[in-house]
Amino acid sequence: MNVVILQWGLFSFMIGLVLSLPLAAVHYQKNPLMRQTFTNPKKLKSAHVDYFMQALSAGLVYLIGICMDMEFPKYIALPLIYGIIMNPTILLLEATPFIRSGWSRFTYMFLRATSPLLLLFGWFAIAVLFLPTYLIIVLIIVIIVGGAVLWSQQVQKKNTVHM
């Protein structure tokens, strides 16, 4: 499965390259057809960069597999592959007006509900398999502290609104 993850990473990288064309047409050439197709240029740029980032993450997974001399099981590889492609696709869909109705809206909502969770599951599974215990503990502490900071900001925001 490691090679399959790498292949999907290359596919993600190639989509990122292909997206540079409409990105240039929207930002630099001010092409009217492309501006009608991609109504949110910031999301288009985010999708472009995220396809590259996901390709790099696929390469990292491949390197981890090589260094640990193991093949990733399907329960890790398949969620990673799904997330590698579908997470940036969410941003790409958000760059267009197509997500407002019909099947594209359903697809968009389905991807938003599933892709980040599956990608997160795959990475956490890798972390649990390969990180030493002390780093898992540090990761848990970072997550708890981050959650506490977000929670305190929400409480502070609610208190400010009620005053």
Side-chain angles (χ1 to χ4, degrees):
M1 287 307 287
N2 295 8
V3 172
V4 175
I5 293 170
L6 190 61
Q7 290 168 340
W8 280 102
L10 178 59
F11 180 75
S12 179
F13 184 82
M14 296 307 296
I15 291 175
L17 285 176
V18 168
L19 281 180
S20 66
L21 299 173
L23 189 63
V26 167
H27 280 284
Y28 304 115
Q29 296 174 346
K30 312 285 190 220
N31 184 298
L33 176 63
M34 286 295 155
R35 285 182 158 231
Q36 279 182 324
T37 304
F38 298 104
T39 55
N40 190 338
K42 287 182 182 181
K43 292 289 185 172
L44 178 60
K45 187 184 284 187
S46 294
H48 168 71
V49 170
D50 200 28
Y51 277 112
F52 288 138
M53 292 303 296
Q54 294 299 334
L56 290 173
S57 73
L60 178 61
V61 170
Y62 182 74
L63 283 175
I64 291 170
I66 287 175
C67 291
M68 301 307 262
D69 194 29
M70 76 165 286
E71 191 77 15
F72 285 103
K74 286 184 181 179
Y75 75 88
I76 292 177
L78 294 177
L80 282 175
I81 291 168
Y82 182 78
I84 284 169
I85 298 303
M86 295 307 163
N87 254 18
T89 301
I90 293 168
L91 295 169
L92 184 59
L93 288 171
E94 288 175 349
T96 69
F98 307 130
I99 61 171
R100 290 180 177 69
S101 64
W103 278 101
S104 55
R105 175 130 181 97
F106 172 77
T107 303
Y108 167 71
M109 297 304 285
F110 180 78
L111 291 178
R112 277 189 54 185
T114 59
S115 181
L117 289 175
L118 287 173
L119 190 60
L120 190 62
F121 169 78
W123 276 108
F124 270 113
I126 289 172
V128 168
L129 284 174
F130 296 112
L131 285 179
T133 305
Y134 73 92
L135 283 179
I136 291 174
I137 292 169
V138 170
L139 179 62
I140 290 169
I141 291 169
V142 167
I143 291 169
I144 290 170
V145 169
V149 168
L150 290 174
W151 179 76
S152 69
Q153 289 297 319
Q154 285 295 94
V155 169
Q156 185 179 8
K157 185 177 177 181
K158 284 183 182 180
N159 290 338
T160 307
V161 170
H162 290 294
M163 291 181 167

